[in-house]
């Protein structure tokens, strides 16, 4: 039996519990996971960039973290991505087929346009004067290269302006506002649709953002 914590990481927050750069440079401390979740002994299975948002999975079970984050297990990850401009059908097909980045061709991805993101507005929001024409996409990949989604959309001519991870495998962000988390108890290694016990989300109660 293992505890798994599903957290909605806010924008401009590190995917770790300390800011080592601030410790080294005596600079201003950036927001960390310690500002939103105070459960001892847990670690993130994977990460999100400082300027990305969405679902992080955390646990104190090292074997579970390995199963979730090991690229060999190919957990699909789904993102909602706000990009500059209006991608053509050809651009979306290129993302589906795989694009050639500096570290090799990406695996085929699932991509679709969205009428709306279904997400809360970012804090701070995008400036509509700087970005008057944008499109929301939903993109699912089965690998995890550094800043992969951002590099993929830039490759087809549509830089990513906002990136929110909404699912890792069968675990979803549903019902969690930025800074909220909930705990699930896993009674066995979890297949794609196995049941688990869920607790109500815990709200973010302030601190640095």
């Amino acid at each position: 039996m293992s505890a798994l914590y599903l957290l909605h990481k806010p924008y401009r927050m590190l995917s770790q519990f300390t800011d080592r750069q601030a410790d080294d440079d005596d600079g201003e401390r950036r927001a960390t996971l310690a500002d939103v979740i105070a459960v001892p002994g847990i670690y993130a299975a994977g990460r999100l960039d400082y300027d990305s948002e969405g679902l992080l999975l955390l646990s104190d079970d090292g074997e579970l973290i390995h199963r979730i984050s090991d690229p060999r297990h190919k957990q699909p990850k789904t993102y909602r991505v706000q990009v500059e401009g209006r991608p053509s059908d050809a651009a979306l097909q290129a993302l589906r087929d795989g694009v050639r980045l500096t570290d090799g061709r990406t695996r085929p991805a699932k991509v679709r346009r969205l009428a709306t993101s279904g997400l809360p507005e970012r804090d701070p929001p995008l400036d509509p004067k700087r970005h008057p024409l944008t499109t929301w996409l939903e993109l699912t990949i089965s690998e995890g290269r550094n800043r992969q989604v951002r590099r993929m959309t830039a490759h087809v001519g549509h830089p990513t302006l906002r990136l929110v991870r909404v699912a890792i495998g069968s675990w979803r962000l549903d019902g969690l506002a930025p800074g909220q988390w909930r705990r699930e108890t896993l009674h066995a290694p979890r297949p794609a649709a196995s049941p688990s016990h869920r607790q109500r989300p815990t709200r973010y109660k302030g601190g640095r953002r």
Side-chain angles (χ1 to χ4, degrees):
M1 187 168 66
S2 301
L4 184 70
Y5 298 85
L6 285 70
L7 170 71
H8 186 160
K9 186 190 88 68
Y11 177 61
R12 291 181 179 168
M13 176 176 284
L14 298 174
S15 296
Q16 58 199 44
F17 286 89
T18 59
D19 183 2
R20 299 186 184 92
Q21 179 178 306
D23 293 340
D24 294 341
D25 299 342
D26 294 326
E28 182 179 357
R29 188 181 72 86
R30 293 169 292 181
T32 71
L33 300 181
D35 294 309
V36 294
I37 183 168
V39 177
I42 61 173
Y43 299 92
R47 63 185 297 276
L48 280 170
D49 294 325
Y50 179 70
D51 51 355
S52 298
E53 311 161 60
L55 182 62
L56 271 182
L57 301 179
L58 304 100
S59 180
D60 61 358
D61 184 331
E63 183 178 345
L64 176 61
I65 290 174
H66 176 74
R67 286 203 309 270
I68 294 170
S69 59
D70 191 327
R72 291 175 297 179
H73 296 155
K74 298 181 181 178
Q75 287 275 7
K77 300 177 178 66
T78 301
Y79 301 84
R80 291 187 186 162
V81 189
Q82 188 176 16
V83 299
E84 192 87 64
R86 291 277 189 265
S88 66
D89 290 344
L92 299 188
Q93 191 60 48
L95 295 174
R96 295 186 187 104
D97 294 341
V99 296
R100 186 166 298 281
L101 304 178
T102 56
D103 51 358
R105 180 172 289 277
T106 61
R107 292 176 184 159
K110 296 179 181 179
V111 186
R112 65 187 181 105
R113 292 186 186 90
L114 299 175
T116 62
S117 71
L119 298 167
E121 189 173 25
R122 196 185 73 182
D123 181 19
L126 287 176
D127 184 350
K129 292 182 179 179
R130 291 184 59 193
H131 308 288
L133 185 62
T134 68
T135 302
W136 278 98
L137 306 175
E138 184 172 86
L139 194 151
T140 300
I141 59 175
S142 58
E143 53 186 338
R145 307 184 199 183
N146 184 47
R147 296 180 75 83
Q148 179 176 340
V149 172
R150 294 178 185 276
R151 291 192 291 146
M152 289 172 66
T153 67
H155 183 87
V156 297
H158 299 277
T160 291
L161 302 173
R162 186 181 176 194
L163 188 149
V164 184
R165 186 160 63 198
V166 296
I168 301 172
S170 60
W171 292 287
R172 297 193 59 85
L173 189 66
D174 299 348
L176 293 176
Q180 284 190 333
W181 56 271
R182 67 172 176 264
R183 181 180 185 270
E184 296 191 3
T185 301
L186 308 184
H187 298 283
R190 183 176 180 168
S194 65
S196 62
H197 175 70
R198 295 189 174 189
Q199 292 186 347
R200 295 174 65 87
T202 298
R203 291 187 175 275
Y204 175 52
K205 296 181 178 178
R208 299 178 60 87
R209 293 296 298 272

